[in-house]
Amino acid sequence: MPLVSLNDVYADANRNYYAIGQFNVSNLEFTQAVLQAAEEMNSPVIIGASKDGVSYAGAHNLVAMVKAGAERISVPVALHLDHGPSMELVIECIEAGFTSVMIDGSHLPLEENIRVTREVVDYAHQHGVTVEAELGRLGGIEDDIKVDAKDACLTDPDEAQRFVEESGVDTLAVAVGTSHGAYKFKEEARLDFNRIATIKKRLGIPLVLHGASGVPRELTDKLTKYGGQIANAKGVPDEAYRKAVQNGINKINIDTDLRLAFTSTIRQTLTENPELFDPRKILATTREAVKAVVKNKMQVFGSASQGNSKSSEEKLAHAEIV
Ligand code: G3H
Ligand code: 13P
Ligand code: ZN
C-alpha cells in the first residue's frame, strides 16, 4: 500500500497495547529486510532514517526505495526522519515524501524545545505528516548517580504534560534509562517503568522508547568470533520490552541490533567463503540476518499480526467471525 502517516497506526497500537518497531536503514538491503519482515509477520512498520542516514543515501533515494517496496506489500509502512535536528531537514524530508518526522530539541531549554517543536508540528500537520519530539536526555540509571542528577536526565512528567499540550506533538520520546549504541548498561538493564506509566497516565498519547536495541549475546559472540571487537556491550532484554509496552510504549527504535546483525554476518560470510567476490551473494546473507532480527522484534513488541487490520473494532469483529 502507499506510505502512511502514523495517526491510525498509533491509535490502534495505543488501544491494543503493542509497539511498532522503528528500524533504521540507509541502503537497499536493510530496506528490503525490514519490508520483507513486515509482510511476513503481518506487522505495521516504521522505517527510520537519521540525518546521517539521509546524507548517506539521499532523501530522494530513500523515499523511492521505501515507497516502491511498500507499494508491493499489504501492511502499513511509514518513512520517518529520526532525530531531526532542524526545520530545514524536516522540510527537505517532507518535501521528498517522508510521512513522519522527529524533531529532537531535547538538548534545548524547555521553552525553546516547545517553540521549535510547535513550528515543526504546524508545518508537518499541514502536510498530513505525524510528529515525534523528545523530552529528557537519554542515559543510563546508575546506582552511583545522585537522585537529583538522575531525575534531571529522565523525562519529568509535569514537564511532559506541559510540553505536549503546548507543542501539539503526536508522540513523545521519553528518557527512562536507555541510551543509544551497544553499551547501555554497566550491570543489569534498568528502565524506569513507573515513570513510563506515570507519563502515559497523564498524556494518553503514544510514547516512544529510543536506544532500545537488545545487543543479544549471539550477535556479539558472532561478531567477536569473526574478528570484531565489542567487549562489555549490553542492551535491553526482551522482558523489558514487554514491560515497557504494558506501561504505555507504542514505538520502539532499533538501529544498533541491525548493524550488529549486518556486520557479524558479513564478517562470517567473508571469512568462511574466501572465494566470494559477488557483492550480491555477500549482501544476501546480511539481508537475511537483518530480517531475522526484525521479525523477532515484531513478535516481542506485539506488532506481529496487527498489519492488515484497520481498527480494533474490525479486529474484534474478525475474531468473532473466526
Ligand atoms: O538514534 C540514533 C541512530 O542510531 C542513528 O545513528 O546517526 O549513526 O545514523 P546515526
Ligand atoms: P539503538 O542504538 O539502541 O538501536 O537505538 C536506536 C535509536 O534510538 C534510533 O533513534
Ligand atoms: Zn534515538
Side-chain angles (χ1 to χ4, degrees):
M1 61 170 78
L3 291 181
V4 299
S5 71
L6 287 167
N7 283 329
D8 291 345
V9 176
Y10 280 145
D12 194 63
N14 206 0
R15 263 197 307 269
N16 294 299
Y17 291 91
Y18 63 90
I20 304 139
Q22 174 190 309
F23 302 98
N24 282 16
V25 311
S26 37
N27 69 12
L28 176 68
E29 286 75 15
F30 275 54
T31 305
Q32 290 175 321
V34 175
L35 293 178
Q36 285 172 16
E39 181 72 341
E40 287 174 26
M41 299 304 281
N42 184 18
S43 171
V45 73
I46 301 164
I47 296 206
S50 68
K51 167 175 75 69
D52 289 348
V54 170
S55 75
Y56 176 81
H60 56 293
N61 285 326
L62 287 166
V63 171
M65 258 188 329
V66 176
K67 213 164 158 248
E71 279 166 3
R72 283 164 178 77
I73 60 177
S74 60
V75 294
V77 179
L79 177 56
H80 176 86
L81 171 63
D82 187 32
H83 293 284
S86 63
M87 188 68 186
E88 288 68 34
L89 190 62
V90 164
I91 292 172
E92 182 190 331
C93 289
I94 292 177
E95 283 184 349
F98 280 54
T99 55
S100 182
V101 292
M102 175 184 188
I103 176 74
D104 185 354
S106 60
H107 53 289
L108 300 170
L110 179 64
E111 302 290 340
E112 189 60 5
N113 193 357
I114 293 174
R115 192 192 63 71
V116 171
T117 304
R118 177 84 248 173
E119 200 184 342
V120 167
V121 167
D122 288 344
Y123 178 83
H125 283 182
Q126 278 174 32
H127 294 79
V129 166
T130 35
V131 181
E132 172 183 331
E134 181 168 319
L135 192 63
R137 301 299 270 292
L138 261 61
I141 311 170
E142 301 296 344
D143 286 331
D144 55 358
I145 295 180
K146 283 193 300 181
V147 173
D148 287 359
K150 182 186 95 179
D151 280 346
C153 301
L154 302 184
T155 307
D156 176 75
D158 291 330
E159 282 190 2
Q161 188 164 3
R162 181 173 161 219
F163 182 85
V164 169
E165 283 167 6
E166 295 185 18
S167 68
V169 78
D170 302 297
T171 59
L172 187 68
V174 288
V176 292
T178 59
S179 55
H180 292 110
Y183 306 92
K184 301 183 193 299
F185 305 103
K186 291 205 184 89
E187 307 292 337
E188 283 314 292
R190 288 181 58 191
L191 277 72
D192 192 341
F193 299 109
N194 287 334
R195 190 175 295 266
I196 299 174
T198 305
I199 297 171
K200 184 67 168 204
K201 215 166 157 191
R202 295 265 193 102
L203 307 184
I205 65 170
L207 301 179
V208 183
L209 187 67
H210 279 248
S213 276
V215 193
R217 267 300 286 275
E218 74 206 62
L219 291 183
T220 55
D221 283 353
K222 184 167 147 186
L223 193 70
T224 309
K225 181 173 174 193
Y226 294 101
Q229 290 176 2
I230 188 150
N232 304 322
K234 196 166 273 182
V236 178
D238 282 359
E239 194 41 41
Y241 293 137
R242 294 192 186 96
K243 272 176 106 170
V245 170
Q246 279 161 15
N247 283 290
I249 293 290
N250 296 115
K251 173 173 177 280
I252 301 182
N253 285 15
I254 303 291
D255 189 343
T256 297
D257 282 352
L258 308 189
R259 297 176 181 194
L260 290 173
F262 175 90
T263 305
S264 60
T265 303
I266 204 165
R267 282 184 172 279
Q268 177 182 20
T269 304
L270 292 172
T271 304
E272 290 180 350
N273 305 278
E275 77 292 353
L276 268 191
F277 58 88
D278 180 342
R280 295 166 300 186
K281 295 206 169 105
I282 298 164
L283 292 175
T285 65
T286 67
R287 186 170 56 197
E288 286 309 305
V290 171
K291 183 171 152 186
V293 170
V294 174
K295 287 176 84 166
N296 174 262
K297 299 292 183 203
M298 289 169 164
Q299 200 73 55
V300 180
F301 299 169
S303 70
S305 307
Q306 305 285 356
N308 289 324
S309 305
K310 290 273 183 306
S311 67
S312 49
E313 289 76 22
E314 273 176 274
K315 265 182 223 156
L316 201 62
H318 180 69
E320 280 163 6
I321 293 162
V322 182

